[in-house]
Amino acid sequence: MQAQTFSTFLAKTQRYFSSADHDGLPRVLNDVASACIKISSIVRLGALAGTSGSLASTNTHGETQQVLDLESNRIFLEAGQISGLIAGMASEEMEQPFIENHQQKGRYLLVFDPLDGSSNISLNLSVGSIFSILRCPDGVEVPALQDFLQPGSQQVAAGYALYGTSTMLVITTGQGVNGFTLDDALGEFVLTHPDMAIPHEAKEFAINMSNQRFWELPVQRYIAECLAGVEGVRGKDFNMRWVASMVAEVHRILVRGGIFMYPVDEKTRERGGRLRLLYEANPMAFIIEQAGGLASTGYEPMMGVQPLSLHQRVGVILGSKVEVERVVAYHHQQQD
Ligand code: AHG
Ligand code: MN
Ligand code: MN
């Protein structure tokens, strides 16, 4: 069978994009895919690219920026300006949004984490890119910061690229989740994981255990029950993984099920959590739920959270539906 490239897939699935809401979306997605291919080629070069070091600068979150964080940000900004369909972009690496300065009215807003898990770069471990596409509100020609503050439920499309042992692009436009693998010889993504669905049976959890003493009681309870294994109330043994790259964790969950948690705890409470709502939590929540899973803050559905600021942080609990439901139930019981 002829391999289906990403652009062929987009052309074939035009019916998904027939509404005015999705007008021009394939072009935008193609440009984002091209950005990911460029980032992939630099990531693959490792230290040879001369981009493996840290910079003296810090981003808006006070985190040290890697050369590759900024280079990936530049590549996304460049790609986002090709179609003329994107009115504005916001990123983890920019304090303020970048507003497109063109005559044509852009229909979309692009929000991204250009390089996720960047502490893994110097270790030659998995990193990724995460993106979310929102609609530029009707009647808005030049978007303001406020226009980016849309709940995840309003995302038009979302996805991530995983620069792992192979490079993959996983996307949703609200019609399920499809995964593509980069064929380096072809220079294109090829559909390898159609209609991705999270397995129901889950026996694996991902959480940074070093934060255990800071967790809230519902998280303490859930993890304690997992650790109790076959002798405990869960009646089965669990496995644990922590890659320190959300993209890699989410991808693992899509392929073999499980749960990922970066909850609000005593350490992160003042900041609202560790991960960012608009360009980490929401796009991943959209993908996870389109694949049959669930995403929550512990207290409310992730995609129902009304953002109040561009770089807002949030507690994240996502993965196999029954596992997330259990953790959410523990949070609600605590409140009762
Ligand atoms: P980023 O590199 O974009 O700042 O994101 C890293 C995030 C996320 O990918 C991962 O789950 C988490 O940080 C890892 O946190 P710890 O350092 O606490 O393990
Ligand atoms: Mn990140
Ligand atoms: Mn990042």
Side-chain angles (χ1 to χ4, degrees):
M1 202 184 75
Q2 178 86 40
Q4 192 175 153
T5 63
F6 186 56
S7 35
T8 315
F9 170 85
L10 290 174
K12 272 195 182 165
T13 50
Q14 277 290 345
R15 67 180 186 280
Y16 296 157
F17 308 120
S18 54
S19 71
D21 276 5
H22 291 88
D23 203 10
L25 190 58
R27 274 165 67 197
V28 171
L29 286 170
N30 250 325
D31 292 343
V32 170
S34 307
C36 295
I37 292 174
K38 278 192 187 148
I39 296 169
S40 173
S41 65
I42 301 174
V43 168
R44 296 267 167 258
L45 282 174
L48 294 174
T51 50
S52 57
S54 300
L55 292 168
S57 60
T58 53
N59 64 15
T60 178
H61 320 283
E63 298 157 347
T64 306
Q65 289 175 308
Q66 309 275 332
V67 181
L68 215 49
D69 283 322
L70 292 187
E71 181 61 7
S72 307
N73 193 62
R74 192 193 61 73
I75 291 170
F76 258 87
L77 285 179
E78 198 175 77
Q81 292 174 73
I82 297 170
S83 67
L85 291 165
I86 297 174
M89 293 181 256
S91 153
E92 177 184 323
E93 305 303 337
M94 305 187 297
E95 191 152 4
Q96 296 295 325
F98 171 92
I99 305 302
E100 177 64 295
N101 184 20
H102 57 67
Q103 303 305 314
Q104 203 182 344
K105 184 183 173 297
R107 301 183 187 100
Y108 299 107
L109 303 175
L110 177 64
V111 191
F112 51 87
D113 175 354
L115 205 66
D116 174 70
S118 55
S119 68
N120 279 352
I121 296 169
S122 58
L123 308 177
N124 196 6
L125 294 175
S126 292
V127 289
S129 301
I130 312 173
F131 67 92
S132 163
I133 299 174
L134 300 161
R135 222 143 61 80
C136 186
D138 285 342
V140 172
E141 299 256 342
V142 181
L145 192 150
Q146 203 64 25
D147 297 312
F148 288 84
L149 306 183
Q150 303 182 32
S153 56
Q154 299 197 18
Q155 292 173 100
V156 177
Y160 63 78
L162 171 60
Y163 313 113
T165 46
S166 60
T167 292
M168 284 195 69
L169 180 69
V170 174
I171 64 148
T172 183
T173 56
Q175 306 280 342
V177 176
N178 287 285
F180 303 80
T181 303
L182 181 61
D183 182 332
D184 278 319
L186 215 59
E188 280 202 81
F189 284 106
V190 172
L191 181 63
T192 47
H193 296 60
D195 299 320
M196 295 180 86
I198 299 179
H200 293 296
E201 177 69 12
K203 291 192 290 191
E204 205 160 59
F205 65 88
I207 192 164
N208 186 337
M209 287 293 293
S210 70
N211 294 325
Q212 183 168 18
R213 69 188 186 282
F214 303 111
W215 298 340
E216 293 181 343
L217 287 176
V219 175
Q220 297 279 5
R221 176 180 172 191
Y222 176 83
I223 295 297
E225 289 176 0
C226 291
L227 294 175
V230 73
E231 285 100 39
V233 291
R234 299 301 308 269
K236 59 179 178 180
D237 289 335
F238 280 76
N239 193 12
M240 194 201 87
R241 287 286 184 272
W242 189 250
V243 189
S245 161
M246 189 193 199
V247 173
E249 321 278 6
V250 166
H251 190 70
R252 186 185 61 249
I253 288 169
L254 277 182
V255 173
R256 67 179 190 202
I259 187 167
F260 167 86
M261 294 194 269
Y262 217 123
V264 173
D265 58 22
E266 286 313 317
K267 197 172 157 188
T268 61
R269 190 175 308 287
E270 257 178 44
R271 292 180 290 158
R274 164 77 165 86
L275 299 174
R276 278 57 61 110
L277 176 60
L278 284 175
Y279 42 82
E280 290 179 320
N282 273 341
M284 291 314 204
F286 195 14
I287 286 183
I288 287 285
E289 295 204 356
Q290 282 292 315
L294 204 61
S296 170
T297 65
Y299 297 97
E300 58 183 321
M302 185 61 69
M303 289 192 283
V305 177
Q306 173 61 53
L308 300 175
S309 63
L310 200 57
H311 300 289
Q312 182 168 332
R313 295 175 190 258
V314 72
V316 177
I317 295 164
L318 55 77
S320 294
K321 197 158 181 269
V322 286
E323 297 301 319
V324 177
E325 278 171 348
R326 179 180 281 265
V327 185
V328 169
Y330 292 175
H331 280 80
H332 289 157
Q333 282 168 26
Q334 178 198 236
Q335 284 182 310
D336 291 343

